Amino acid sequence: MSKPLLILIAGPYRSGTDGDPARIARNLERLEEASWPIYERGHVPMIGEWVALPILRVGSTDASGPDASLDDAAPVEGDVMYTTAHRLLQHCDAVLRLEGASHGADQDVRIAEARGIPVYRSIDEIPVLAAAADAA
């Protein structure tokens, strides 16, 4: 393998949090903790929330502005999260599925498998890019 993989990290984000912002933040931290080992192996980590959260923030602001109409309703969080992940998977080379119940992460895995994209269940399964090994 000579080219870095773009690897989507999939796992619980809102699942099991009862909407508690502190628990949601902890789930995001757990997703982000997986990014460094992927990077060390020579690849590019990606988390759907890194892309979807700014979209939600801007979309919510735009939809509530003074010129907003009913057609400009604020985006539904789950819809944006799932759609963003679905679009990202068109560019990703692999998925790392972290443990924990998550409808969205399970959906990511189904999409990846349908597209023939490798799904890793452990960091140790991710191949080390030769250039990353040489740099170590």
Side-chain angles (χ1 to χ4, degrees):
M1 171 183 317
S2 60
K3 176 184 150 222
L5 301 175
L6 180 61
I7 300 177
L8 181 69
I9 302 168
Y13 174 66
R14 290 190 62 87
S15 298
T17 66
D18 294 323
D20 177 2
R23 292 169 70 187
I24 293 169
R26 178 61 195 122
N27 278 350
L28 182 56
E29 287 173 12
R30 185 169 166 259
L31 293 168
E32 290 175 343
E33 287 168 0
S35 66
W36 178 249
I38 291 171
Y39 176 81
E40 280 189 311
R41 284 173 168 68
H43 305 293
V44 179
M46 174 54 66
I47 297 174
E49 287 74 13
W50 288 344
V51 178
L53 292 174
I55 294 168
L56 284 166
R57 186 173 48 253
V58 172
S60 296
T61 302
D62 287 352
S64 62
D67 298 326
S69 69
L70 291 177
D71 293 335
D72 296 327
V76 177
E77 182 174 348
D79 293 345
V80 171
M81 295 289 199
Y82 294 140
T83 300
T84 299
H86 187 267
R87 291 175 184 176
L88 275 173
L89 281 165
Q90 294 179 40
H91 302 277
C92 290
D93 302 301
V95 172
L96 172 63
R97 175 58 164 102
L98 301 182
E99 290 184 15
S102 170
H103 174 73
D106 291 343
Q107 185 173 325
D108 295 343
V109 167
R110 282 192 295 277
I111 292 167
E113 289 174 340
R115 292 189 176 156
I117 298 170
V119 176
Y120 303 115
R121 307 277 178 182
S122 163
I123 295 281
D124 295 332
E125 295 176 6
I126 298 172
V128 176
L129 190 64
D134 293 343

